[in-house]
Every structure is written in structure tokens, then in C-alpha cells.
Amino acid sequence: MNPEAYDIPARFKRLNDDAAEDHIGPFFYCPTESGAEAAFRPGAHNVNGLGTVHGGVLMTFIDYTLCVAAVCRTGLPCVTVSLNSEFVGPGAEGALLLGLGEVTRMTRSLVFTRGEIRSGDDVLLTASAVVKLIRQ
Amino acid sequence: MNPEAYDIPARFKRLNDDAAEDHIGPFFYCPTESGAEAAFRPGAHNVNGLGTVHGGVLMTFIDYTLCVAAVCRTGLPCVTVSLNSEFVGPGAEGALLLGLGEVTRMTRSLVFTRGEIRSGDDVLLTASAVVKLIRQ
Amino acid sequence: MNPEAYDIPARFKRLNDDAAEDHIGPFFYCPTESGAEAAFRPGAHNVNGLGTVHGGVLMTFIDYTLCVAAVCRTGLPCVTVSLNSEFVGPGAEGALLLGLGEVTRMTRSLVFTRGEIRSGDDVLLTASAVVKLIRQ
Amino acid sequence: MNPEAYDIPARFKRLNDDAAEDHIGPFFYCPTESGAEAAFRPGAHNVNGLGTVHGGVLMTFIDYTLCVAAVCRTGLPCVTVSLNSEFVGPGAEGALLLGLGEVTRMTRSLVFTRGEIRSGDDVLLTASAVVKLIRQ
């Protein structure tokens, strides 16, 4: 799975194998100063009955974005504890979606994050999540 | 797509064609007095890197459950405005998941819902959503 | 501060001194099998410009309810990590409000809770929270 | 109620009379390009048993901030439909708190908002809310 195959800029990379993310996505990421940026180009299998990108697909993508933001800042694997989403606007099949994930605080066990999904200048979804770090 | 093909009780039915839900699911539902019950049996393509059902898949399933609950109570199509999830416990590939969706209030334009995903006696996810009715 | 002074049933008790809760409330609680029940009778100082109980007051009361539910089940002090509320219906000054808080899961460090505020048969608010236990 | 009496910069103003907000606050606001900024200096009656600003007080303040952001952008009164908060860090009695509220989308009936509470350079709380406009 190559970002170029989805017309996604080459600065984005794959994280780990994850069957569900590869089945719904694939999703790609790039570290940023405050967390991570992610990229995804939804296809025909990602749309709902109205012909727009399904809310569950958007939530899966922002969950990826926010977890990867936590991983990029901490270097540790993590699991999502809670995630809130607002569905601000509809997304179109074939349009490049960018996820922006920011870490607002890290404690020893929890990371607080927030982010959004954009398509061009439009915000499609806003979200926040609490993730738990997995320490050995 | 037949519930029996997924070893799901025959009282559950399909709603409408929805490419994303069929790709991630399929999901099935059954009306209840307070909303709807939904059923889903996750497969190998639904698991994350830890081998448990991916959080995005669970959120997609509860979004379906809560929207269908609103549809069952109002007879109108709807879109999700906001959705909150807590990831209470991990889900196993192959286990039957039941979504329970309850409508707590209907106004002319908005429906308030809450629900959970269960696997046997275990709660995997709790959620609430506000959905907007689509009137002509 | 006595429950009877607020026409609240005598089975409800005070928890600890908490300046903010006493200033906004006072609130009272009673342990239940799954968490806690709480009681509060809002006064004239608790209403918004529309003459109904202010959303911030309701959120303070459900935060109390859900934390007390966690305390009742674990015996440990806790702080709220995240809290989500839906404002299902308006509350009236002078009406007895009951908060119902349920623990859906306890881990070593986190407790998952959900609950609602009722006034008679009406649900006013639904909520969920993740709280963190404070261990020495 | 005067901002100077609370050592709050004079650019902040009061909105309307609101018994609960004046009892917990008072809170003050100032319109911004994307919504509103709000100011509040918590006192001794706003702290919890740990001696930090109570989460319910912070949620009341961010609810004010996000609603005022919607009012500033639309010129219409509104009620909160749902509000999510993450408690990122503790707030100190006597410190100036600033609420930042941003409107991410306005539809005919709903406004999507998000925001945060800051104390100096620290983020204390992140939040998002959906508010409903009240049209005659």
C-alpha cells in the first residue's frame, strides 16, 4: 500500500499493519510538531446511502489520526478510551481528506487529543479523544 | 446479504443499501419499543493490530444502531449531528455483537439517542448521539 | 446542610465539603448497586435567562453524580477526565432532580460511567464520563 | 457587575442577566472574528475539595463561551444541545481564565462550536458543543 497509489503526497507514510484500517482506508500519516497529520482518499466503498462519506468511516479516520498523534508524541502504543465527534459537513468520494491531530496534554498514562478532518478549506468533522498509553 | 449467512437470528433485517455499512458490516436491525436493536458479527477484516475489533468499526456499528433507532421511532431518514463513544472493553472476531439504541427524546428536527454494544454479558462500548431528521 | 431543609428524602446524604458543589447545590447522594443516585432541588440562583435550570448547573450535578458513583463502587477518590452531556429537556426551579449514575467498567486507573438527570418521569440530561482514580 | 471589579480587562462586557451565570461567575465576553472570547476569575466559592476550580464551574464557563460565540456570529439566542469536555489540567482560584469559542459551522438551525479554557499558557479544558438557534 503506497500513498502514491491513492494520489496522496509522498511525505505521508503507513504506520503498522491493521486489518480494519487497511480495509476501510488505507490511511497514511506524517508527524507534526503538535502531533500528526493524516491522509485518506475515500472510495466508492466508503459512502453512505446519500452518496457522501459515511460517518463511521470519518470516525475511523479521526480515531487513527488522534492515536497516531499520541504515538508520534510519546513513542508508545495506545488505545482509545473515549472519542467525541461532530459531523460538521459532508465529504465527497474521491476527494483527499486530511486529518489533523493535536496533543493537548500528556500524563503518565493518558494523552488528551483533539483534531479535525478537512477537505480543501472545508472542515468535515471535529473531534476529541482521550487515549491510554500501553506501557510494559 | 442474509442474516443467517452470518449466524444472526432471523428476526434481524437489512435496512437500505449503504455501501460503507455493507463493506464494514453488514449490519442488521430489529425495531424495539424504545428504538432498535442491531446485530453484527465482526470478521478478520474488522480487527486492529491488537487482534480485537477496531474502535472505528464499533463506532460505525453504534452510529448505525442509533440512527436506525431514530428511523424506527420517527419513520424519517436522518443524519448524525454528533456522536460520543467510550471504549469500555475489547471485542473478539467472530463473536456476535448486539447494538442497543434508545431514543430519549424527539423534537421536530432533532432526536436524542443513547446506546451500547454488548457481546454476551459484556458491554464493549457506550455511546450517545444527536441526529437530525431530514424532512422534505 | 440537611436534605430535609431542601425537601429531599432522608436516605440521601452529603459527601464531603466541596465549596463549589455547596455553592451551586447542595447535592446529596445515596449508593446503589451499580453506582449512586443523587438529589438536588434547584433554586432561583440556578436558572438561566429563559427561567429554566442552567445547563452548567445540570452538568455540575451530573459530574457529581457520576463521580460519586465511581467513589461508591471503588472506595477511592477520583477526578473527571472527560464528560459528555446531551440536553434533552428543560428543568424547572423548585422541582426535585434525581441523578442516576452507573459504573459500566472499572479498570485499575479508570472508571467508565454513564447516567441521567430525571425530574419526575422526564429525562432532562443524559451523560457519560471517564473518571480517574486517585491512588496513593 | 463590572469587569474591573474582577480585574478583568475592560474590553470584556456582560451579556444578559442570567441568574445562574452571575451566581457561578460572573462571566464576561468580547466578540472575535470566529466567535467569542470570554473571561472569568474564579473565587473561593468555585473550588472543589482538592482546592482547584471545580469541573462543573469550568463546564458552565465553556458553555457560556460557546453559546456566546454562536450568538456573536448569528445575532440569535440559542440553547445548548450537547456539550463535551475534557479536563486537561487543574485551574487555580484567583487566576484569570480565558475561554476561546470558535464557530466551525452554521446551518439554519444548528451551530457547531469548539473551544478551550486557558490560564496563562496552560490549557485547562477542551470542549465542543452543538447549539440550536431560537428563531421566532
Side-chain angles (χ1 to χ4, degrees):
Chain A
M1 289 185 176
N2 211 292
E4 285 86 354
Y6 300 89
D7 199 11
I8 285 175
R11 74 174 189 278
F12 289 97
K13 295 175 282 251
R14 288 196 73 215
L15 190 65
N16 304 316
D17 284 334
D18 183 298
E21 289 170 2
D22 290 343
H23 181 250
I24 299 176
F27 306 139
F28 302 92
Y29 82 101
C30 180
T32 63
E33 199 178 328
S34 61
E37 190 180 9
F40 165 47
R41 193 175 292 277
H45 58 293
N46 293 132
V47 303
N48 58 27
L50 301 168
T52 60
V53 181
H54 194 283
V57 171
L58 294 178
M59 288 191 288
T60 304
F61 180 47
I62 198 71
D63 183 33
Y64 170 87
T65 303
L66 297 175
C67 278
V68 172
V71 169
C72 285
R73 289 297 306 280
T74 64
L76 291 168
C78 63
V79 294
T80 308
V81 170
S82 64
L83 193 149
N84 308 317
S85 298
E86 290 87 34
F87 298 90
V88 176
E93 179 189 337
L96 177 64
L97 303 187
L98 291 180
L100 306 173
E102 176 195 3
V103 170
T104 54
R105 190 171 177 220
M106 296 178 278
T107 70
R108 191 177 145 71
S109 61
L110 298 178
V111 180
F112 293 80
T113 67
R114 64 180 167 188
E116 64 188 38
I117 299 175
R118 303 188 75 94
S119 176
D121 286 340
D122 296 327
V123 175
L124 305 191
L125 180 140
T126 55
S128 56
V130 176
V131 305
K132 189 168 163 47
L133 298 174
I134 303 175
R135 294 179 184 271
Q136 303 310 9
Chain B
M1 289 186 174
N2 212 293
E4 284 86 354
Y6 300 88
D7 200 10
I8 285 175
R11 73 175 189 279
F12 290 97
K13 294 174 283 249
R14 286 196 74 216
L15 191 65
N16 304 317
D17 284 334
D18 184 298
E21 289 170 2
D22 291 342
H23 180 250
I24 299 175
F27 306 139
F28 301 92
Y29 82 102
C30 180
T32 63
E33 200 178 328
S34 62
E37 190 181 11
F40 165 48
R41 193 176 293 277
H45 58 293
N46 293 132
V47 304
N48 57 27
L50 300 168
T52 61
V53 181
H54 194 283
V57 171
L58 294 178
M59 290 191 287
T60 304
F61 180 48
I62 198 70
D63 183 35
Y64 170 87
T65 302
L66 297 175
C67 278
V68 172
V71 168
C72 285
R73 290 296 306 279
T74 64
L76 291 168
C78 63
V79 293
T80 309
V81 170
S82 63
L83 193 150
N84 308 318
S85 299
E86 290 86 37
F87 298 90
V88 175
E93 180 188 335
L96 178 63
L97 302 188
L98 291 179
L100 305 172
E102 176 196 4
V103 170
T104 54
R105 190 173 177 218
M106 297 178 276
T107 70
R108 192 178 145 69
S109 61
L110 298 178
V111 180
F112 293 80
T113 67
R114 65 180 167 188
E116 63 188 39
I117 299 175
R118 303 189 76 94
S119 175
D121 287 339
D122 295 327
V123 175
L124 305 192
L125 179 140
T126 55
S128 56
V130 177
V131 305
K132 188 168 164 45
L133 298 174
I134 303 175
R135 295 180 184 271
Q136 305 310 7
Chain C
M1 289 187 176
N2 212 292
E4 284 85 353
Y6 300 88
D7 199 11
I8 285 175
R11 79 185 132 92
F12 289 98
K13 294 174 282 250
R14 287 197 74 215
L15 191 63
N16 304 317
D17 284 333
D18 184 298
E21 289 170 3
D22 291 342
H23 180 250
I24 299 176
F27 307 139
F28 301 92
Y29 82 101
C30 179
T32 63
E33 200 177 328
S34 62
E37 191 180 9
F40 165 47
R41 193 175 293 275
H45 59 293
N46 293 133
V47 304
N48 58 26
L50 300 168
T52 59
V53 182
H54 194 283
V57 171
L58 294 177
M59 288 191 288
T60 304
F61 180 48
I62 199 71
D63 183 34
Y64 170 88
T65 303
L66 297 175
C67 277
V68 172
V71 169
C72 285
R73 290 296 306 282
T74 64
L76 291 169
C78 63
V79 293
T80 309
V81 170
S82 64
L83 192 150
N84 308 317
S85 298
E86 291 86 35
F87 298 89
V88 175
E93 180 189 335
L96 178 64
L97 303 188
L98 291 179
L100 306 172
E102 176 196 3
V103 170
T104 55
R105 190 173 178 219
M106 296 178 277
T107 70
R108 191 178 145 69
S109 61
L110 298 179
V111 180
F112 293 80
T113 67
R114 65 179 168 190
E116 63 188 39
I117 299 174
R118 302 189 75 94
S119 175
D121 286 340
D122 296 326
V123 176
L124 305 192
L125 179 140
T126 55
S128 56
V130 177
V131 304
K132 188 167 166 44
L133 299 174
I134 303 176
R135 295 180 184 271
Q136 302 313 8
Chain D
M1 289 186 177
N2 211 292
E4 284 87 352
Y6 300 89
D7 199 10
I8 285 175
R11 74 175 189 279
F12 289 97
K13 293 176 283 252
R14 287 196 73 215
L15 190 64
N16 304 316
D17 284 333
D18 184 298
E21 289 170 1
D22 291 342
H23 180 250
I24 299 175
F27 306 139
F28 301 93
Y29 83 102
C30 179
T32 63
E33 199 178 329
S34 62
E37 189 180 10
F40 166 48
R41 192 176 294 276
H45 59 293
N46 294 133
V47 304
N48 57 26
L50 300 169
T52 60
V53 182
H54 194 283
V57 171
L58 294 178
M59 289 192 288
T60 304
F61 180 47
I62 198 71
D63 183 34
Y64 170 88
T65 302
L66 297 175
C67 277
V68 172
V71 169
C72 285
R73 290 297 306 280
T74 64
L76 291 168
C78 63
V79 294
T80 308
V81 170
S82 63
L83 192 150
N84 308 318
S85 298
E86 290 87 34
F87 298 89
V88 175
E93 180 190 336
L96 177 64
L97 302 188
L98 292 179
L100 305 172
E102 176 195 4
V103 170
T104 54
R105 191 174 177 217
M106 296 179 277
T107 70
R108 190 177 146 70
S109 61
L110 298 178
V111 179
F112 294 80
T113 67
R114 66 179 166 189
E116 64 188 39
I117 299 175
R118 302 188 76 94
S119 175
D121 286 340
D122 296 327
V123 176
L124 305 192
L125 178 140
T126 55
S128 56
V130 176
V131 305
K132 188 167 164 45
L133 299 174
I134 303 176
R135 296 179 184 272
Q136 303 311 7

